[in-house]
Amino acid sequence: MLPVLVFLLGLPLALASPTCAPLIPVTFDNATIARLLGPWIYIVGASRYPPYMEELRGLKYGAFSFSPSSHEDELNVIEVTRLNETCLQRNTSKVLAFRHNSTLAHVDDQVFATAKLIQSDEDLLILNHLNDDFPSLSLSARTPNVSKEQLEEFRSHLHCMGFTEEDIFFTSEKDACPLPWEKKDEGDVKPQLK
Ligand SMILES: *[C@@H]1O[C@H](CO)[C@@H](O)[C@H](O)[C@H]1NC(C)=O
Ligand SMILES: *[C@@H]1O[C@H](CO)[C@@H](O)[C@H](O)[C@H]1NC(C)=O
Ligand SMILES: *[C@@H]1O[C@H](CO)[C@@H](O)[C@H](O)[C@H]1NC(C)=O
Ligand SMILES: *[C@@H]1O[C@H](CO)[C@@H](O)[C@H](O)[C@H]1NC(C)=O
Ligand SMILES: *[C@@H]1O[C@H](CO)[C@@H](O)[C@H](O)[C@H]1NC(C)=O
């Protein structure tokens, strides 16, 4: 009887543990898409989905920029990545925002990848990528340097999802690639969000 009691008493404490704050998905509203527009730097991520794990291992740098398209719930994406040594730029993919289930989908040729946007500071973009039962979580930000607190909070989410330090892949500003949207007049590209 005693172990059961200990278990029952222990459970609420474990659930309330402050180190495992839940990931709260954003419920889309009319402001959600506007908040996504403009450039982001990919900072860190972890995944158990084999194709993503492969990609994360080679990913030295990542950045992307969302711009409006002719469809209200569809965004154009420019992606810049350094895989191994090579900088690549792609502008062929789209992001669809499904309001009815608050899901984002990245569409590129044949590949349709969905993700939930997680509540965070405005200058961060946290995505919980949905691939069957494989957990994946990524952090992007408006600037290459996120605060120590933001990084620690993200890391604790990853640990709560069962990732260890070896599973976590950081990109590096020293491997930065030229960004097409930084060449132009900033006023053309950056949406005015304020
Ligand atoms: C959201 O946008 C739709 C269509 O653009 C509009 O009909 C609706 O009134 C908006 N809702 C709010 C709360 O602004
Ligand atoms: C990156 O390098 C790894 C091993 O060095 C290789 O397996 C992989 O195919 C390379 N990826 C790209 C995109 O070049
Ligand atoms: C993609 O890039 C090509 C070449 O740089 C350019 O001609 C094309 O207009 C771009 N498309 C989009 C949707 O930005
Ligand atoms: C949300 O809706 C879209 C389009 O109907 C669908 O493709 C996607 O799988 C849905 N996502 C979830 C998590 O239900
Ligand atoms: C990030 O770096 C920029 C300039 O390099 C600086 O202005 C900004 O305060 C830094 N932000 C944080 C959160 O450290």
Side-chain angles (χ1 to χ4, degrees):
M1 168 132 182
L2 196 57
V4 171
L5 252 182
V6 169
F7 176 70
L8 288 177
L9 291 173
L11 195 59
L13 284 176
L15 289 176
S17 166
T19 58
C20 278
L23 294 171
I24 305 170
V26 171
T27 300
F28 289 7
D29 62 23
N30 287 2
T32 306
I33 291 176
R35 143 151 157 64
L36 298 177
L37 292 173
W40 295 95
I41 308 290
Y42 182 89
I43 308 282
V44 52
S47 179
R48 295 237 182 271
Y49 185 54
Y52 288 180
M53 288 165 74
E54 183 74 12
E55 200 173 323
L56 284 178
R57 275 195 202 102
L59 186 70
K60 303 279 176 60
Y61 181 76
F64 49 95
S65 183
F66 295 127
S67 58
S69 76
S70 48
H71 302 283
E72 195 187 359
D73 288 345
E74 184 178 306
L75 300 174
N76 293 326
V77 192
I78 303 176
E79 293 162 272
V80 176
T81 52
R82 188 190 290 275
L83 284 174
N84 295 339
E85 301 311 318
T86 317
C87 286
L88 303 170
Q89 187 180 320
R90 287 194 309 172
N91 67 359
T92 52
S93 61
K94 303 221 172 272
V95 163
L96 309 178
F98 297 114
R99 288 175 192 239
H100 67 96
N101 60 10
S102 292
T103 304
L104 295 173
H106 181 261
V107 187
D108 186 14
D109 293 334
Q110 323 297 335
V111 186
F112 185 89
T114 57
K116 290 278 182 187
L117 182 63
I118 300 302
Q119 287 184 16
S120 68
D121 296 342
E122 287 283 297
D123 59 341
L124 301 183
L125 179 67
I126 298 179
L127 291 174
N128 187 7
H129 307 267
L130 309 171
N131 304 101
D132 305 321
D133 287 330
F134 300 108
S136 301
L137 198 70
S138 68
L139 173 71
S140 303
R142 291 294 185 186
T143 60
N145 51 340
V146 296
S147 74
K148 211 170 173 174
E149 291 73 23
Q150 289 173 327
L151 203 56
E152 282 315 306
E153 190 180 340
F154 185 75
R155 205 192 281 271
S156 80
H157 280 312
L158 290 176
H159 289 158
C160 289
M161 290 170 81
F163 291 110
T164 64
E165 288 300 313
E166 292 94 84
D167 301 322
I168 302 175
F169 293 93
F170 285 86
T171 59
S172 165
E173 191 58 12
K174 73 172 170 30
D175 292 317
C177 298
L179 300 176
W181 52 86
E182 287 192 344
K183 278 188 218 138
K184 299 177 198 158
D185 175 16
E186 283 211 10
D188 286 341
V189 182
K190 245 189 207 164
Q192 279 307 314
L193 298 176
K194 288 171 192 156

